Structures are given as structure tokens and as C-alpha cells.
Amino acid sequence: LGGDRFDEAETWFRRAVSQADDIAVGRAAYVGLGDVMLARGDIRAAAEAYQRALADAAPGDSTAEQARQRLNRIGSAGTAFP
């Protein structure tokens, strides 16, 4: 994705998060937003988005598990974020 595509994707995911009537859709949008932010190099924003995807997730929620895996990869890469 180029810079303009990142902007489009971020806008789309932020809109999806704010308009999601379904918690599962909102959770998936946060994972997508985290992916965009990570690709941009904004580790802190990516981690925050992934953490939002984990919030109040039921045990075994597959989207929350994706978010957890992405957070673990950020952490295992030795990336510190305040």
C-alpha cells in the first residue's frame, strides 16, 4: 500500500469501527486498523487498535486471537511502546 492507500484504508477502518452495530465487525475493523498502523510504522497505534480488538472478547473469539497474535509479534520483535 502506498501513502494514499494507507489513508484510504485508515479512513475506512475508522468508519467501520465507529459505525459497527455488530461487536464482531467492530473487533475485525480494529484488527484491520492495527494492521494499517503497523504497516505505517506506528507501533503504538497498532498496539492500541489490537488491544481494542481484544476488549471484552469471549474466550475463543477468533478475531481476538488474531489481535493477540499480532500483539505478541510486536512484543517478540522487541518493539517497546509506552
Side-chain angles (χ1 to χ4, degrees), residues 16 19-27:
Q19 296 177 356
D21 291 331
D22 183 338
I23 293 172
V25 171
R27 203 180 315 286

Side-chain angles (χ1 to χ4, degrees), residues 18-45:
S18 69
Q19 296 177 356
D21 291 331
D22 183 338
I23 293 172
V25 171
R27 203 180 315 286
Y30 274 119
V31 171
L33 180 59
D35 291 346
V36 170
M37 302 314 285
L38 187 59
R40 281 186 157 170
D42 191 341
I43 305 303
R44 183 176 182 179

Side-chain angles (χ1 to χ4, degrees), residues 38 41-51 70-82:
L38 187 59
D42 191 341
I43 305 303
R44 183 176 182 179
E48 289 173 0
Y50 296 143
Q51 288 169 342
R70 285 165 170 80
L71 275 172
N72 288 340
R73 275 189 243 138
I74 289 172
S76 67
T79 306
F81 48 93

